[in-house]
Amino acid sequence: MSPNKVLLALTSYNDVFYSDGSKTGVFAVEALHPFNTFTNEGLEVDFVSETGKFGWDEHSLAKEALDGQDKIDFENKSSNFNKALAKIKTPKEINADDYQIFFASAGHGTLFDYPKAKDLQDIASDIYANGGVVAAVCHGPAIFDGLTNKSTGKPLIEGKSITGFTDVGETVLGLDSILKAKGLATVEDIAKKYGAKYLAPVGPWDDYSITDGKLVTGVNPASAHSTAVRSIKALEN
């Protein structure tokens, strides 16, 4: 039997977002940590974005966000991570039946494109309907805005427990006013909108992830690894 396959989704949004003029996009370790966690467990990983393109969140490349072995893996052009990224696919090139885990990585870019990423949402719905796992970390739960459970026709997260980046965290980062000005929904907003129960960690930077059946969510970059581990366990269960 071939190893289980993971579809690791990236935001395709890569534009100026921060007040210092930096761009948002994919938060580096929120793609790197899950990739390494899955591949170390023998799973195959393919990357996908709504447009087949992506760019990095510039704040996620700063020393406090990316250092040590992470920085080495990230900068090594021949790392498995970079080789897989070079083959990123569009949803049109994906057959949902080939994958058992859909993992939505994050960065504030996801707040712009995941709610409109109908093709990505479709694949996630199909994987879930096939008995697979749908997971999201940090701002990745933006993918749930408009995501339907195909077997019930209702929102996938309705009546489910989820977590994701906290409103408190947005305020601490000084980004709450930018989100309001741009009309972007936070993860907590999305949970409310679709009748999910939002669970928060004690502190916004704690490693915190939760499982509700085949739905797995994590709260921040520090939780990317534990969210991936939970995804594998949820699949086994």
Side-chain angles (χ1 to χ4, degrees), residues 101-105 133-137 143-144 214-217 227 231:
I101 297 174
F102 179 95
F103 191 101
S105 73
V133 171
V134 172
V137 69
I143 198 81
F144 300 137
K214 299 280 190 205
L215 185 67
V216 179
T217 47
T227 307
S231 306

Side-chain angles (χ1 to χ4, degrees), residues 26-176:
V26 180
F27 200 93
V29 298
E30 290 174 349
L32 177 64
H33 287 178
F35 178 87
N36 285 341
T37 304
F38 289 129
T39 54
N40 288 342
E41 291 295 324
L43 282 77
E44 287 178 32
V45 180
D46 288 329
F47 284 105
V48 66
S49 77
E50 188 73 357
T51 64
K53 297 186 168 64
F54 75 97
W56 301 111
D57 179 296
E58 291 174 340
H59 282 195
S60 79
L61 307 180
K63 190 170 187 330
E64 58 273 17
L66 187 71
D67 63 1
Q69 189 60 46
D70 289 341
K71 192 171 164 67
I72 293 166
D73 290 346
F74 183 81
E75 291 177 350
N76 174 5
K77 290 287 170 260
S78 58
S79 69
N80 290 333
F81 175 69
N82 280 313
K83 282 189 201 152
L85 274 177
K87 295 192 289 232
I88 187 169
K89 295 171 161 64
T90 64
K92 299 276 188 278
E93 300 171 277
I94 295 291
N95 178 356
D97 294 347
D98 295 339
Y99 299 89
Q100 291 74 42
I101 297 174
F102 179 95
F103 191 101
S105 73
H108 279 87
T110 60
L111 301 180
F112 290 88
D113 75 324
Y114 276 4
K116 302 186 194 100
K118 295 302 171 210
D119 293 340
L120 277 185
Q121 290 181 338
D122 235 19
I123 292 169
S125 286
D126 285 341
I127 290 172
Y128 193 84
N130 291 342
V133 171
V134 172
V137 69
C138 202
H139 294 90
I143 198 81
F144 300 137
D145 191 353
L147 185 57
T148 305
N149 181 339
K150 289 196 167 161
S151 62
T152 63
K154 292 182 173 163
L156 185 75
I157 59 171
E158 187 180 293
K160 297 276 197 184
S161 294
I162 70 162
T163 191
F165 200 67
T166 64
D167 286 359
V168 169
E170 303 291 9
T171 305
V172 171
L173 293 176
L175 298 174
D176 50 334

Side-chain angles (χ1 to χ4, degrees), residues 203-224:
W205 317 118
D206 296 349
D207 178 353
Y208 181 76
S209 54
I210 59 170
T211 305
D212 189 339
K214 299 280 190 205
L215 185 67
V216 179
T217 47
V219 86
N220 53 26
S223 314

